[in-house]
Amino acid sequence: STNDDWRVNSLVEVESDLLRKKHLARFTPDELALLLEEMGFDRLDLRGFRINHISGATLLAMSEDDMAVDLVLPRSKTRKLRALQRATHLFDRIATLPRQGKISEVELRLFLASQGAGTAEVDKVVKLFKTLVRTDKYDFVTFWDFVTSYDWIAQALRIYNIPT
């Protein structure tokens, strides 16, 4: 029925919204597969993750050699995973609490100032950030949106000489 369809769609949206606000360290193997699919990994790439039950926490602890051997991935995909690790590390440096699922504009501004950016630079970076990353007025940026936009974020920070 139409009511059941609406209920299922609403549930999927809620689950998707909750997943967007979840930190990588808390991802289950299935949730990690969803994130990696969005980042361009295909079913063949994800086979090693499924066989080895790789969770977000496990991935964060893996070296590049672990990735290449245990996950049987080409170098281009291990580079993407290393970028995901770097994105997570940067997100954690900006965030106030460990493993939180979103960062606020205030946290970003404080991070930029702590890296030596002046008021005008902070304003420019935040404005640029808002054009590059999906943000909203309540959560500003979720973990998912941050890591899937990391290439753009890293580029924006490099322009203003902010270490990533």
Side-chain angles (χ1 to χ4, degrees), residues 70-84:
D70 297 350
L71 303 175
V72 193
L73 289 171
R75 183 73 56 207
S76 63
K77 298 298 168 122
T78 57
R79 279 196 300 269
K80 278 190 173 188
L81 293 177
R82 296 295 286 166
L84 176 56

Side-chain angles (χ1 to χ4, degrees), residues 3 6 12 20 23 44 50 60 67 76 82 153 155:
N3 224 4
W6 177 84
V12 168
R20 293 187 99 74
H23 189 281
L44 186 60
R50 289 203 168 94
L60 284 172
M67 292 172 192
S76 63
R82 296 295 286 166
I153 294 167
Q155 182 82 20

Side-chain angles (χ1 to χ4, degrees), residues 126-142:
V126 169
K127 185 176 180 182
L128 184 56
F129 195 90
K130 287 178 179 179
T131 64
L132 299 174
V133 183
R134 184 182 139 182
T135 59
D136 70 43
K137 64 184 175 194
Y138 302 111
D139 298 322
F140 190 56
V141 67
T142 64

